[in-house]
Amino acid sequence: MSRLFPFHGGLKTVRHKTESNALPIEPGPLPRRLVVPLRQHMGNVAKPSVQPGDRVLKGQMIGQADGYISAAVHAPSSGVVAAVEPRPVPHPSGLADLCVIIETDGEDRWIEREPVDYRRLHPSDLRNALRNAGVVGLGGAVFPSAVKLNPGGHCERVDTLILNGAECEPWITCDDRIMRERAAEIVAGLAVMAHLLEPLKVLIGIEDDKPEAIAAMTAACAGTGYTVRAVPTRYPSGSVKQLIFLLTGREIPEQGLPLDIGVQCFNVATAHAVHRAIAHGEPVLSRIVTVTGHVQRPRNIDVLLGTRFADLIAQCGGYRDGVERLIMGGPMMGFALHNDDVPVTKATNCILAASAEQLTPEQPVMPCIRCGACVDVCPANLLPQQLYWFARAREFDKARDHALFGCIECGCCSYVCPSHIPLVQYYRYAKNEIWAREQEKEKAELARQRHQARQERLEREKQEREAKLRQKAPPRAAAETGTETTGGAG
Amino acid sequence: MRRFQTITSPHVLLETSVGQVMRRVLYAMLPGVAALVWFFGWGVLVNLAIATAVALVAEATMLAARGKPLAAHLGDCSAVVTAWLLAVALPPLAPWWLTTIGVLSAIVVAKHLYGGLGYNPFNPAMVGYVVLLISFPREMSTWLIPHGVGQTQALTLAETLRAIFLGAPVVDALTGATPLDVLRTKMGLGLSVAEIRNSPVFGLVSGHGWEWAVLGFLAGGLWLIYTRAADWRIPTGMLGGLALISTVLYLINPQKYAPPWFHLWSGAAIFGAFFIATDPVTASATPRGRLIYGAGIGVLVYIIRAFGGYPDGVAFSVLLMNIAAPTIDLYTPPRVFGARRG
Ligand code: SF4
Ligand code: SF4
């Protein structure tokens, strides 16, 4: 057994896992209507491939992957396409995004499924199959898995493949349950990933507050050579950078990727989805969602994508009295939703209906007293109080120089700040400002190039006109414009 | 459809506040204050009361003048902490106006005129102390003789109040110099450290009576570290720095230089290390920087004690290092996760 490498900082937070992790995963409802966003992944939004009025079967592609960093989207059940239009989606902005709305027919009729033997498939065909099955990171980052399974020229080789079952956020238990109940399928999916990446080592990291999951995964790994490692329960051990460091002692550069250090990392639910896609020909149509907090019967539900949050809350017996905030994700990094009439997407790992007692009441923000509590807990080893000064003073260049982009927005600093400063909010703001400025710059550069091209074109046309004129003009005039013509051609 | 409030993450926070941190500092001072009261009488408590009252009035006035919310800022207790830090450092029979001037300098000038909580570059309590030390050197060095030294009778509360508020003279036999003063003046007479320390002002390790107060402040200070209300790096740096330089000089010439344990246990070394230097606002903010910041104070304290014009140097050392803190921060950033080593 090799050793663990504890990361700097982090927190012992409240856990609240037992509320939802006792019951087995329950199938979700088959709603009359599914609202399926075409942007459920990082990268380009999928191109709609159906029109209103089309009949669709369960598993039929309704949105095509558009470009390399993209993923397909499928009909979660059979029925008729009612509309393809913008609808509110779970996003902090509360804005609408393009969705395919399907009136289900209740038959849940499958399209013909085509399981494949991954060992026989060419790697690029295998990755294509995953892209077309809409497989993305189900831990919440929703990055297309096919891209991550193609190390290409990015590094010499991936020597370590890591499966992330840490699940460090309070309240969330969907990974815990899926590991307990579907360990064999997860490991089968992991085998597909290992087949593509050919790592020397395969490690599975699970926080030690999930003994049942550890036992199930260890049993499923018997004879595979994959190692299950229990890691200490300490937020944010499930963050990619921290988990990789914990298990290997290697640090991902500030703005780098795991591939930069020869590691690749996937969530356990993603491995499960890979297995379903390859061995059963089933695209990603559903995901496990933890519905917890101040609801009557918290639990984990296997939910069809496009199901409304409100329907899931209803399945859990409804809200209890006094729910104040509806959070998608956990209390540390999740975001509060404006309302519960939004669909579940591939990124929805948890719906937390929080009461006042389960939240921290808003408190007056005091000046920073430079106590350094934030420094002690920052897993990125930054100086959060200094970044805060820079962000507040709009000194974005300085913030960037002080590794603003190394901030993983884990919220540890805000959590411990005695002055109750919403630190993470300042970092997000600063990052957005910097991105916006860069885009401005790019736009300006583009405009400049366009302007220049136009100028050159006009100049060329003028010269061409003049050249034509010269042919008809007397010889004396041609001699005068001669230098100009050669200059323009050069 | 149900609507909800939207606030950014994190949605749960640790139960902590500036007020809690400051109150912890106050609690942590109690054992040391109790020892001071025991050995120096009512005057210590009267000073604390005057300082607290003046500080609260000054703080409220300044907050109102600067248009800040009163309740939130008065409740943070930072003014009371400043008042106590200063009061504890004053002679037990300091006249009321001395305490008042000191506290006003601290709260009005050093704190609020420099921007208020979180913005002041200098430790307010130490600014107040230094103002008094420079302006009223005589009043500042008239200490009571600790209870139990010689044939003295403790002053009653009434006598104490008369002395503080009316300036009633105190019997000369009751007042005396602090142990560090004694060490200083007698060294000037050419006596060796060992001879001087036979004087009854000295107890087991350092000054009689004083050493118990030091023990109290050490206990409170360790508790502060334990509760993380203070950063361990600053006292470690400061006491380490003081210990190192005093050991070196003691080894060179034990006749001329007091031993390290005497230095560590005398004057405001322990109190300063745990309670004054640890003021986060004016200290260095980086982890390594705090060790350096502390060490700087420790070394300066020794230099002032051994070679300077004042018997103790905690206040001056802290203020000097306050100036250096931003520069220290600049050169001691932590290694960011993922940054190349070296
Ligand atoms: S925890 Fe808050 S008050 Fe303390 S240094 Fe950090 S930002 Fe400032
Ligand atoms: S949110 Fe950013 S600055 Fe704050 S603790 Fe996490 S990584 Fe550090």
Side-chain angles (χ1 to χ4, degrees):
Chain A
M1 198 82 181
S2 46
R3 71 188 190 97
L4 290 172
F5 302 82
F7 54 88
H8 174 264
L11 295 170
K12 285 237 171 291
T13 59
V14 288
R15 302 303 296 163
H16 290 299
K17 300 283 198 181
T18 49
E19 283 86 345
S20 58
N21 73 358
L23 296 173
I25 300 169
E26 193 175 273
L30 174 55
R32 291 286 316 140
R33 163 180 294 216
L34 292 164
V35 177
V36 189
L38 287 164
R39 188 196 306 275
Q40 296 194 46
H41 48 263
M42 298 280 278
N44 297 333
V45 55
K47 275 195 295 210
S49 53
V50 288
Q51 286 175 349
D54 286 0
R55 286 208 68 82
V56 289
L57 292 173
K58 182 183 180 103
Q60 182 178 332
M61 195 182 287
I62 55 175
Q64 253 172 352
D66 180 19
Y68 183 56
I69 303 188
S70 185
V73 177
H74 305 78
S77 187
S78 57
V80 178
V81 175
V84 180
E85 63 186 28
R87 286 292 176 92
V89 293
H91 188 270
S93 67
L95 292 179
D97 206 356
L98 195 60
C99 297
V100 174
I101 294 106
I102 300 171
E103 301 285 353
T104 58
D105 56 16
E107 291 173 23
D108 213 24
R109 207 140 41 90
W110 268 99
I111 196 171
E112 198 179 328
R113 282 163 278 182
E114 292 171 21
V116 292
D117 181 353
Y118 67 89
R119 286 179 218 87
R120 299 250 171 93
L121 229 49
H122 188 275
S124 73
D125 293 337
L126 190 49
R127 284 190 289 267
N128 252 333
L130 291 173
R131 187 195 329 274
N132 288 332
V135 179
V136 300
L138 295 178
V142 289
F143 194 82
S145 302
V147 179
K148 282 171 72 180
L149 287 166
N150 184 13
H154 207 91
C155 65
E156 297 272 291
R157 68 168 302 146
V158 174
D159 60 39
T160 310
L161 171 59
I162 291 178
L163 205 55
N164 187 347
E167 197 165 59
C168 59
E169 270 256 11
W171 290 101
I172 309 180
T173 60
C174 55
D175 289 349
D176 183 6
R177 281 314 314 188
I178 202 173
M179 286 189 286
R180 292 196 209 183
E181 297 179 36
R182 304 179 187 174
E185 290 181 287
I186 295 172
V187 174
L190 184 54
V192 179
M193 295 168 163
H195 173 74
L196 280 170
L197 295 173
E198 302 181 319
L200 302 175
K201 253 194 299 189
V202 178
L203 304 172
I204 302 167
I206 306 173
E207 274 195 348
D208 58 12
D209 66 343
K210 292 183 261 302
E212 296 90 346
I214 293 172
M217 290 297 288
T218 309
C221 285
T224 58
Y226 308 158
T227 318
V228 174
R229 304 286 305 274
V231 301
T233 300
R234 185 169 189 82
Y235 181 84
S237 69
S239 143
V240 177
K241 289 184 174 185
Q242 275 58 45
L243 185 66
I244 291 177
F245 184 74
L246 256 173
L247 295 176
T248 67
R250 289 187 234 166
E251 297 180 16
I252 303 177
E254 185 195 326
Q255 289 191 64
L257 297 170
L259 279 182
D260 296 334
I261 52 169
V263 181
Q264 196 51 289
C265 182
F266 294 92
N267 177 265
V268 285
T270 314
H272 177 261
V274 166
H275 169 73
R276 298 299 307 179
I278 299 302
H280 299 271
E282 293 177 6
V284 180
L285 306 182
S286 66
R287 67 154 300 142
I288 317 288
V289 180
T290 305
V291 184
T292 187
H294 215 49
V295 293
Q296 296 295 348
R297 294 187 298 276
R299 65 194 56 212
N300 282 283
I301 308 179
D302 195 344
V303 187
L304 292 179
L305 302 172
T307 306
R308 286 188 329 142
F309 280 26
D311 295 342
L312 295 182
I313 299 284
Q315 180 163 352
C316 294
Y319 297 109
R320 292 192 207 184
D321 285 342
V323 172
E324 286 208 342
R325 237 177 271 178
L326 188 67
I327 297 162
M328 175 165 134
M332 294 299 291
M333 291 182 77
F335 57 86
L337 293 159
H338 295 81
N339 64 63
D340 58 9
D341 190 15
V342 285
V344 166
T345 73
K346 292 173 188 174
T348 312
N349 52 356
C350 178
I351 301 173
L352 170 60
S355 69
E357 300 84 65
Q358 289 158 348
L359 303 164
T360 308
E362 259 194 290
Q363 292 165 93
V365 175
M366 301 285 289
C368 168
I369 55 168
R370 297 169 31 107
C371 65
C374 51
V375 182
D376 287 339
V377 297
C378 177
N381 218 1
L382 306 172
L383 291 172
Q385 83 279 52
Q386 211 172 49
L387 289 178
Y388 158 69
W389 286 116
F390 292 144
R392 226 175 84 119
R394 302 181 57 88
E395 293 183 282
F396 299 123
D397 291 335
K398 279 199 187 154
R400 196 209 314 245
D401 293 346
H402 283 75
L404 171 67
F405 286 94
C407 165
I408 57 171
E409 297 181 21
C410 64
C412 291
C413 50
S414 303
Y415 186 86
V416 297
C417 177
S419 292
H420 311 124
I421 302 170
L423 295 162
V424 187
Q425 203 175 319
Y426 279 95
Y427 309 146
R428 287 200 195 109
Y429 158 74
K431 287 180 186 175
N432 283 335
E433 286 290 307
I434 293 172
W435 282 322
R437 282 184 187 190
E438 265 165 18
Q439 269 175 6
E440 273 307 302
K441 241 192 260 165
E442 269 168 37
K443 249 195 249 159
E445 175 64 14
L446 216 65
R448 196 187 60 77
Q449 285 174 2
R450 252 190 251 128
H451 177 73
Q452 203 176 352
R454 183 164 174 274
Q455 289 295 309
E456 279 168 13
R457 189 180 44 127
L458 290 177
E459 178 71 6
R460 208 172 44 238
E461 285 170 3
K462 186 175 140 212
Q463 283 167 11
E464 280 166 8
R465 264 199 314 277
E466 281 170 358
K468 268 187 208 149
L469 276 175
R470 244 191 338 266
Q471 284 174 355
K472 301 172 197 161
R476 188 174 48 86
E480 269 174 21
T481 51
T483 46
E484 203 184 311
T485 326
T486 43
Chain B
M1 181 170 89
R2 194 162 150 182
R3 299 189 164 276
F4 301 93
Q5 48 165 255
T6 52
I7 292 168
T8 59
S9 63
H11 303 277
V12 286
L13 304 173
L14 194 67
E15 261 185 54
T16 170
S17 65
V18 177
Q20 186 197 57
V21 174
M22 296 293 172
R23 277 189 293 277
R24 284 198 175 141
V25 176
L26 297 180
Y27 302 148
M29 284 173 73
L30 292 178
V33 167
L36 285 179
V37 173
W38 173 261
F39 286 102
F40 296 100
W42 291 105
V44 177
L45 285 181
V46 178
N47 280 352
L48 281 172
I50 298 173
T52 307
V54 175
L56 286 176
V57 172
E59 176 93 348
T61 313
M62 290 310 287
L63 286 173
R66 295 176 54 226
K68 298 273 169 188
L70 269 194
H73 283 260
L74 273 185
D76 72 23
C77 289
S78 60
V80 182
V81 168
T82 302
W84 284 31
L85 293 179
L86 178 59
V88 163
L90 295 180
L93 292 187
W96 65 272
W97 51 264
L98 192 78
T99 311
T100 305
I101 293 174
V103 172
L104 288 179
S105 314
I107 301 283
V108 177
V109 181
K111 185 177 180 185
H112 282 286
L113 293 187
Y114 276 98
L117 180 69
Y119 292 86
N120 49 301
F122 296 108
N123 185 315
M126 290 306 100
V127 171
Y129 183 82
V130 164
V131 166
L132 297 180
L133 197 62
I134 293 172
S135 320
F136 310 101
R138 198 174 57 83
E139 285 81 356
M140 286 297 281
S141 56
T142 317
W143 272 80
L144 280 179
I145 292 179
H147 176 67
V149 175
Q151 301 298 313
T152 54
Q153 192 73 49
L155 291 179
T156 63
L157 177 58
E159 286 170 325
T160 308
L161 288 174
R162 265 204 299 280
I164 289 177
F165 284 101
L166 305 173
V170 175
V171 195
D172 252 1
L174 283 180
T175 61
T178 65
L180 279 173
D181 271 325
V182 173
L183 188 66
R184 230 192 120 64
T185 35
K186 298 218 171 156
M187 292 256 271
L189 301 176
L191 290 160
S192 80
V193 171
E195 287 169 304
I196 299 167
R197 291 196 49 221
N198 280 332
S199 144
V201 242
F202 294 98
L204 296 170
V205 188
S206 60
H208 179 91
W210 294 90
E211 52 195 18
W212 291 101
V214 170
L215 192 66
F217 287 123
L218 178 64
L222 290 176
W223 179 74
L224 274 189
I225 303 291
Y226 173 73
T227 61
R228 299 195 172 222
D231 191 330
W232 62 271
R233 296 176 187 90
I234 296 175
T236 307
M238 172 167 166
L239 297 176
L242 181 58
L244 191 73
I245 186 168
S246 55
T247 306
V248 169
L249 281 145
Y250 180 64
L251 291 179
I252 293 173
N253 186 352
Q255 287 294 302
K256 191 153 173 260
Y257 300 107
W261 51 89
F262 178 81
H263 273 289
L264 289 177
W265 217 252
S266 293
I270 294 285
F271 179 66
F274 287 97
F275 290 88
I276 296 170
T278 49
D279 166 36
V281 175
T282 57
S284 165
T286 66
R288 268 185 304 153
R290 289 185 163 180
L291 277 171
I292 297 171
Y293 172 82
I297 296 175
V299 170
L300 284 174
V301 164
Y302 187 87
I303 293 174
I304 294 173
R305 278 184 186 177
F307 312 109
Y310 288 92
D312 202 354
V314 170
F316 289 108
S317 312
V318 167
L319 293 178
L320 281 172
M321 290 310 286
N322 285 166
I323 300 174
T327 317
I328 297 177
D329 286 353
L330 207 58
Y331 289 101
T332 55
R335 193 189 68 87
V336 174
F337 186 93
R340 237 167 250 139
R341 279 167 209 275

